[in-house]
Amino acid sequence: MAGLAVRKARKQRVFRWTVLIVLGAFFAFPLAAMVEFSTRDAQTWPLLVNWPKLSETYPDLAEGILSSLGQAALTALLMLALLVPTAIWVRLRLPRLRPLVEFLCLLPLTIPAIVLVVGLAPVYAWVNYFLGGSSLTLVFAYTILVLPYAYRAIDAGLSAIDVKTLAEASRSLGSGWMTVIWRVVLPNIRSAVLSAAFLTVALVLGEFTIASLLHRTNLQVAIDYLGKSSATMSVAVSLAALLLAFVLLMALSLFGDRRTSKETR
C-alpha cells in the first residue's frame, strides 16, 4: 500500500512538472522572440527608458502611456469607491440582494467588448457633451469592464472574515457605519482590495477594443498606431507592458504571502 502511494505521488509530481514545462515553453518562446526582435535596433530600449527623448520622438506613444496610467489609477479608485462599500453593505444589511449584485457585477464578463461599445456609444455622446472628449472619460467604461474581476477578489476577501460579528462588535462600542467600514472591515480585507486594484490596473493597461472604437487614446491604441511606423519600438513597448503586469501580479502574490504569514504568527 505504501509503495502504491509513493508511485502515485511520483506520477503526480512528474505530471505537474511536465505541465509547468510545457506551459513555460508556450509562454517563454513568444517572449523570447519579442526580446530578440526589439533588440535588433540598439537604440530602442535606451530610447524607451529615456522619457524626455521618447516624448520628443514619439509624442503619440508618450500621450498613450500617460493616458493609460491616468485611466488605470482613476478606474481603480472609482471601482473601489463603488464596489467596496456596496459589497460590505450587502453582506451586512441586505444579504438577500447578494445574488442580484453578484449577477450584475459578473454580467460584463458575458458581454463582448464590441457589444458594450455599441451600448456605450450613445452614452458617450452625452459624456462628450458635458465632459469633453478626454481619454480619461474611458474610466466610466473601464469601471464596468473590471467589475467581474474586482467583485470576485473583494467577495473572496469578505468571505474569509466574519463581517457581521466584526460589525456588531464595533457598533456595540458606539462606532458609526462609516467607522465600521473604514476602520474595522477594510483593514481585514486589505489584500483583497489590493488584488482588485492590481487586476484593474492590469486590465486597463491591456484594453484596446473600447478605446479604439470610441476613438480615445490609450497605451494599446498608441502601440497599434506605432506598429505601422516603428515595429521594433512597438514590440518593445508591448513587452514592457507585459513585464509591468507581471511585476504587479508578483507584488500582489508576495504581499499576500507576507500578510498571510503575519496573520498566522
Side-chain angles (χ1 to χ4, degrees), residues 17-41:
W17 277 106
T18 302
V19 171
L20 288 175
I21 291 172
V22 171
L23 291 179
F26 179 79
F27 288 107
F29 284 140
L31 293 177
M34 293 176 71
V35 171
E36 190 277 331
F37 183 78
S38 62
T39 53
R40 290 180 182 180
D41 186 352

Side-chain angles (χ1 to χ4, degrees), residues 235-253:
V235 172
V237 176
S238 300
L239 181 59
L242 286 174
L243 292 177
L244 177 59
F246 177 76
V247 169
L248 287 176
L249 294 177
M250 285 297 296
L252 171 62
S253 176

Side-chain angles (χ1 to χ4, degrees), residues 118-133:
V118 172
L120 289 171
V123 177
Y124 267 85
W126 288 99
V127 171
N128 292 344
Y129 180 76
F130 288 108
L131 300 179

Side-chain angles (χ1 to χ4, degrees), residues 122-185:
V123 177
Y124 267 85
W126 288 99
V127 171
N128 292 344
Y129 180 76
F130 288 108
L131 300 179
S134 171
S135 61
L136 293 180
T137 56
L138 285 176
V139 167
F140 304 116
Y142 288 164
T143 302
I144 297 173
L145 199 63
V146 303
L147 280 180
Y149 313 98
Y151 175 81
R152 278 302 184 189
I154 294 173
D155 186 67
L158 291 172
S159 299
I161 63 174
D162 192 346
V163 183
K164 186 168 292 187
T165 300
L166 290 173
E168 290 176 353
S170 180
R171 291 284 291 170
S172 66
L173 295 174
S175 300
W177 282 113
M178 287 303 298
T179 303
V180 171
I181 294 175
W182 184 255
R183 303 192 63 180
V184 177
V185 179

Side-chain angles (χ1 to χ4, degrees), residues 192-226:
V193 170
L194 284 175
S195 299
F198 284 163
L199 289 172
T200 298
V201 171
L203 190 145
V204 172
L205 291 180
E207 203 286 320
F208 171 78
T209 305
I210 293 178
S212 177
L213 294 178
L214 289 179
H215 305 290
R216 299 298 198 279
T217 299
N218 71 355
L219 176 60
Q220 298 303 321
V221 173
I223 290 175
D224 180 59
Y225 290 155
L226 183 62

Side-chain angles (χ1 to χ4, degrees), residues 6 14 34 45 50 85 91 94 126-127 133 147 162 179 190 232 255:
V6 171
V14 170
M34 293 176 71
W45 284 97
N50 187 348
R91 277 187 172 263
L94 303 169
W126 288 99
V127 171
L147 280 180
D162 192 346
T179 303
R190 187 179 304 170
T232 54
F255 184 83

